[in-house]
Amino acid sequence: MSIHLITDSCCELPDELKQRIRPDVAPLKVTVIGGGEYLDDGTVSIPELLADMAASRKGAVSACPSVDDFAVHMERHDQCFVVTLSSKLSGSYNAARVAAELVLESHPHKKIHVFDSESASAGEALLVHFLHEKIEQGLTFEQIIPLANQKIATMKTMFVLEDLGNLLKSGRLKKLPGMIASALSLCPIMSDNGHGEIKLLDKARGIQNALRRLIDIIREHTAKENKQSITMMMTFCNCLERAEAFRVQILAVCPAIKNILMVPTGALSAMYANDGGIIVAF
């Protein structure tokens, strides 16, 4: 029996990888307060969403997939792994867990395991890439689970934001430890805290200074790893040229990084990354 992969729509995969994996996707929804509603199904115009958020006085909010959204996919497969964004950031993980319990009650022969990625966007995609590799290597369902849990525990997700508008409007910025009022003139460099929550690593004036500082941090984190041993995932919001230049710079100074897979953000990730944001996971 093959093992199928199911994700929520915060998991952005490069087209080539998506075609190979063909995951089922449970979409989240983004609602701009006083504006439009966007189902994160891969068809959203990100520039349109960004313009809508910029025009809104209160920013945007999101809604996770329903239990039924996940259950309908789980019922199609005898074995499946489900990857969601961090349970500390969304109800997606809990919805998937409830769906798995309901499906297994009716179909006890199935094998379903739900992973809390403790990340989002690039981090989710990197975990899905890892799971796909293990499935392709012929490992069993039971063999893969502890390996994936170890991957989650050691994975790093980091990001730089240029536009803090939606975080400020939604009130989420004040919840991030270490942020101060002067953040309006700064670009924060942020990371996961190892448990799926967001923490501030550093801040710099201007996006280019922030990206240079992030490169330094990545180099520090990978300095002791074997040469050409790490695959990195990068997602970017409406800034392809910046992301490509950033990719070249990372590869030039971080010998442990073998390759960097790049993909633009979908609607949910764009809501948080906002215009010009870049997210990496490794």
Side-chain angles (χ1 to χ4, degrees):
M1 293 185 293
S2 62
I3 304 171
H4 198 80
L5 293 171
I6 300 169
T7 74
D8 61 35
S9 61
C10 192
C11 175
E12 291 110 358
L13 294 169
D15 287 340
E16 186 274 333
L17 192 58
K18 188 186 299 182
Q19 289 301 314
R20 283 197 285 124
I21 297 175
R22 296 189 178 278
D24 290 348
V25 180
L28 290 100
K29 184 184 294 182
V30 174
T31 301
V32 178
I33 300 172
E37 208 172 64
Y38 302 84
L39 185 65
D40 191 15
D41 60 359
T43 65
V44 174
S45 166
I46 299 304
E48 179 183 333
L49 170 61
L50 294 174
D52 201 4
M53 290 196 302
S56 169
R57 291 185 177 182
K58 295 185 178 180
V61 295
S62 62
C64 69
S66 70
V67 171
D68 286 345
D69 289 335
F70 281 110
V72 70
H73 296 302
M74 296 173 182
E75 288 173 346
R76 295 173 181 162
H77 310 287
D78 287 331
Q79 296 188 111
C80 61
F81 289 134
V82 187
V83 175
T84 75
L85 65 102
S86 171
S87 61
K88 302 292 177 60
L89 302 176
S90 167
S92 184
Y93 173 71
N94 288 332
R97 283 289 303 273
V98 172
E101 291 172 5
L102 292 174
V103 171
L104 288 171
E105 282 182 8
S106 303
H107 308 280
H109 67 282
K110 291 182 180 291
K111 293 182 179 181
I112 304 170
H113 188 88
V114 182
F115 291 103
D116 177 351
S117 71
E118 298 186 0
S119 183
S121 191
E124 274 190 79
L126 189 62
L127 179 58
V128 167
H129 178 264
F130 176 87
L131 289 167
H132 177 67
E133 283 188 332
K134 299 308 171 189
I135 293 168
E136 290 288 287
Q137 290 168 11
L139 274 66
T140 66
F141 189 90
E142 291 76 14
Q143 288 172 328
I144 293 173
I145 291 172
L147 297 176
N149 286 332
Q150 183 180 23
K151 179 67 175 178
I152 293 168
T154 57
M155 183 170 63
K156 301 292 183 185
T157 305
M158 300 177 183
F159 54 102
V160 168
L161 306 182
E162 181 180 23
D163 186 340
L164 305 179
N166 193 58
L167 288 176
L168 286 165
K169 292 173 185 176
S170 65
R172 284 186 176 269
L173 187 61
K174 64 185 178 182
K175 299 177 184 178
L176 301 180
M179 292 307 291
I180 56 177
S182 63
L184 280 169
S185 62
L186 299 173
C187 290
I189 304 155
M190 292 186 279
S191 173
D192 67 282
N193 67 352
H195 305 286
E197 295 176 305
I198 297 171
K199 71 174 183 179
L200 180 71
L201 287 179
D202 206 342
K203 43 190 179 285
R205 293 198 177 276
I207 186 67
Q208 294 305 324
N209 286 332
L211 290 172
R212 280 192 287 269
R213 178 63 186 126
L214 180 52
I215 290 173
D216 290 340
I217 293 170
I218 293 169
R219 181 168 53 192
E220 292 164 9
H221 276 277
T222 60
K224 296 182 180 180
E225 302 297 328
N226 294 331
K227 188 176 181 180
Q228 297 281 292
S229 64
I230 297 173
T231 293
M232 174 179 280
M233 191 72 66
M234 181 191 299
T235 54
F236 56 93
C237 185
N238 200 38
C239 58
L240 175 59
E241 186 175 336
R242 174 184 295 168
E244 288 180 334
F246 187 52
R247 173 184 175 275
V248 171
Q249 292 163 4
I250 293 172
L251 291 173
V253 300
C254 300
I257 297 178
K258 175 176 60 177
N259 63 331
I260 301 175
L261 305 177
M262 295 175 53
V263 61
T265 56
L268 192 281
S269 296
M271 187 186 83
Y272 290 110
N274 220 328
D275 203 4
I278 291 179
I279 307 164
V280 296
F282 56 94

